[in-house]
Amino acid sequence: MCGIVGAVGSRNITPILVEGLKRLEYRGYDSCGVAVLQDGQLRRSRSTARVSELDALTKADGIDSTLGIAHTRWATHGAPAVHNAHPHFSHGPGADAATSKPGRIALVHNGIIENHEALRTELQAKGYVFASQTDTEVIAHLVDLLYDGDLFAAVKAATLRLRGAYAIAVFCRDEPQRVVGARQGSPLILGVGGVDASERFLASDAMALAGVTDQIVYLEEGDVVDLQPGRHWIENRVDGAADYQRIDATLRPVRTVTVHSGAVELGPYRHYMQKEIFEQPRAIADTLQGVVAITPKLFGEQAEAVFGKIDRVLILACGTSYYSGSTAKYWLESIAKIPTQVEVASEYRYRDSVPEPSTLVVTISQSGETADTLAALKHAQSLGMKHTLTICNVATSAMVRECALSYVTRAGVEIGVASTKAFTTQLAGLFLLTLTLAKLRGHLSPEQEAEHLTDMRHLPVALQSVLALEPQLIAWAESFARKDNALFLGRGLHYPIALEGALKLKEISYIHAEAYPAGELKHGPLALVTAEMPVVVVAPNDALLEKLKSNMQEVKARGGELYVCADADTQIQAEPGIHVIRLPEHYGALSPILHVVPLQLLAYHTACAKGTDVDKPRNLAKSVTVE
């Protein structure tokens, strides 16, 4: 959710910290800051503006050091304000946090500390002074309390007392060449080498270190890492031991991870979201690259053995990924004939469920670090469901490492908070899973396999034809920008696409939007329909088309304004009160991948017409690493 960058080296690392934050802006944030150790004192610059403003502040403040940490914050505890922005300093007993010099500990934190209130009370009783409303400041004071000349030991002792999720980076005034990091339930990586081999870095995402180093160590749950010039080491509470033990370097290998800095260049597009919408033909082609036949090996060497042991599917996901899973349910049950359940990951682990060891647990995540989905996965595993698979866009993510099987989509870096190309590539991966299970279960003939593969290979061309409809959607957007509410309707396989369309509109344009199965109109939502309530209809030429036309007439009879995304052969005609955009062709089972694109464009251009921050919508973050 928020971003961390830390560094220790022999050159001025402030520009590296700031540039790292710029590369993490896509995650979403409402404040940012940098802290360094300079001339033996803790110094920092913080801002509630963009990182570019922070860059100017650090230069104006003369922030210059060989050691430091930086952060972008998405507010959880305490309002978006400078005094709540990271990095936080410790203020020991008797200090006046508002006026005194900073203490000896500087710290940044991603995650949520669940027992922060009890710790705050304890620390206040010992004389510690709090300058913020954050749970993070508790950690800084706790490390200071436990510090006895060894920062690594103090951080380890502090983590033993924390409950919740965290990734932290810490340094101490009294140890001028040392940064310590720790992670539990929130991602953190170690970067090795830079302009010289002695440099060491911390970051919440390898993207932050693009152009600095490609030598990355992925830290595991419970790791605490000590960074000093030219060396680092990692300890972990192995198997829940009472204290930390040194981890052999072979268990945390240095990997070469290429993150192209050009991936975040905007190019000729107005926003990253627009760029990513138009990258979908390429993303789908890349995701399907090398798929010449339907085989379990697409999902891993052990996939055939695993798939032979399962008789049902459980999909766990959040947000847009949940809607891709909801679409896949229709495919899995109609094509593969396998019972499928789709659960909102943030709810699944907090209810009593009936575990079935013969279940294939499928997680879906763009980042592979989504906290709710990871927690739900581990909960399912704890119930005895060991057959796991993830559809994910990041090959090195925690989700891929945690699951036995995986299909890594190749959407590329997605900067816009509102997911587009990640969604359609997830659908492509899930359709391959459907065909694989169908083939193994005897429900896919060679002729059907060949036909589906041909259709999938044609998807990039079909998507280009849909993208050519953008001018018509711009015209629709001008009307939508004047509205406060909207309804989205779909039936069957396309109901989740209506849900995704409504989500996109509300995410970036701030227009209240809801989606319903079209047959549910008369069971309540029809009461909302007026001329001021635009109704978007996803209308493919499938078996439910005639039923859908009847639902449209219910809207028209109440004076509603219909906006219909229809296949070319649906015989739905434009007339007063009915606006129609025709997709070039009906695409059968793969139709959702095409029909979602006009809804993405509608949301995007509506937001542009309203002047909202398309790529960084208010209150939202890209990678949700807290519950």
Side-chain angles (χ1 to χ4, degrees), residues 313-318 321 324-325 345 360-366 368 370 372-378 380-381 387-392 398-400 402-403 405-407 426 430 433:
V313 174
L314 169 64
I315 296 175
L316 303 172
C318 299
S321 296
S324 68
L360 177 65
V361 179
V362 178
T363 63
I364 310 171
S365 171
Q366 186 276 137
T370 307
D372 288 319
T373 308
L374 280 168
L377 169 65
K378 291 175 183 178
Q381 291 171 323
H387 306 311
T388 58
L389 181 151
T390 189
I391 305 291
C392 182
M399 204 80 72
V400 172
E402 189 71 28
C403 287
L405 308 175
S406 64
Y407 191 84
Q426 286 171 357
L430 288 162
L433 175 63

Side-chain angles (χ1 to χ4, degrees), residues 339 455 512:
D455 287 345
H512 171 245

